[in-house]
Amino acid sequence: MKTEFAPSLLASDFSQLKDQIQLIKEADYLHLDVMDGVFVPNITFGPGLIKAIKKHTALPFDTHLMITKPERYIKDFAEAGSDILTVHLEATDHIHRVIQLIKAEGIKAGVSLNPATPIETLEYLLPELDQVLIMSVNPGFGGQSYIPQMTEKIAKLNKIIEANNYDCKIEVDGGIKTFNLKEIVEAGADIIVAGSAIFGAKKPAAALSEMRSIAADV
Ligand code: DX5
Ligand code: ZN
């Protein structure tokens, strides 16, 4: 399967969002990191901003909710223009119900796992998921270092998905750069999130195409 790329808006220049989004129009998705200052120690943006930028791009919106009790806001983020909504397993007591809420909005549903959360927790959910987002840093900030043990976690999840023929993509998020991209794709990542490696580069479009060519060689 062709590797897809989801640049994270978190690393962009927030004073020029409209122009920043144009720089990565060759991407497959726009990754939107929503943080509430409770589930993670940082606050970013909400549905109002997502709705405002939706009109400036045709890219599908891959919204990553790092918020406590996401069930309270599924409708808001769907109506704001999210095409995929990913919630954290650790942020709700009723993850299956949240997945159903997302699907009822007619959009794709994903579950994200913090680095310390084992993939076995998703065993009974995988048949219903469009994607699993493996956090390869502790959520909350861009620009952190990739946690090396996450490569084995990706490979393990990939084996389970392939063995059962599940229609579920693996997205990996955090600390992905040109130097470690190959091992992550080899392990089974389908979608790569990259913030600082793309928006932090002098030429984001060139950084994206360099990452694409590395992934294509795997
Ligand atoms: C972290 C976010 C990531 C972050 C990735 O909590 O979920 O999406 O923006 O940034 P980099 O690629 O810089 O690690
Ligand atoms: Zn993210």
Side-chain angles (χ1 to χ4, degrees), residues 8 10-11 31 33 35 64 66 135 137-144 173-177 193-197:
S8 168
L10 186 63
H31 186 81
D33 288 306
M35 306 185 187
H64 178 192
M66 286 161 275
M135 284 308 303
V137 297
N138 288 296
F141 301 94
Q144 303 179 79
D173 184 3
I176 306 180
K177 314 275 179 200
V193 177
S196 44

Side-chain angles (χ1 to χ4, degrees), residues 59-174:
L59 290 179
F61 278 12
D62 173 38
T63 305
H64 178 192
L65 293 183
M66 286 161 275
I67 65 174
T68 298
K69 297 200 188 305
E71 52 271 32
R72 298 173 297 155
Y73 292 104
I74 299 304
K75 221 181 175 38
D76 291 340
F77 283 100
E79 286 175 358
S82 303
D83 298 278
I84 309 169
L85 255 188
T86 296
V87 294
H88 270 262
L89 177 83
E90 305 88 354
T92 176
D93 292 327
H94 300 286
I95 188 70
H96 185 262
R97 181 179 292 150
V98 184
I99 297 309
Q100 286 178 315
L101 284 176
I102 298 172
K103 293 206 155 171
E105 295 297 328
I107 58 175
K108 290 187 176 173
V111 170
S112 182
L113 300 180
N114 283 335
T117 307
I119 52 170
E120 285 77 6
T121 53
L122 290 180
E123 187 179 349
Y124 299 108
L125 266 190
L126 283 176
E128 298 187 35
L129 293 181
D130 295 298
Q131 67 180 40
V132 173
L133 197 174
I134 301 281
M135 284 308 303
S136 43
V137 297
N138 288 296
F141 301 94
Q144 303 179 79
S145 298
Y146 181 83
I147 299 171
Q149 305 92 287
M150 294 305 105
T151 303
E152 191 190 321
K153 190 174 180 181
I154 298 161
K156 202 168 167 185
L157 175 61
N158 189 42
K159 250 191 196 158
I160 298 171
I161 290 174
E162 285 191 346
N164 293 281
N165 241 324
Y166 291 140
D167 188 13
C168 175
K169 291 183 180 177
I170 301 177
E171 180 172 32
V172 184
D173 184 3

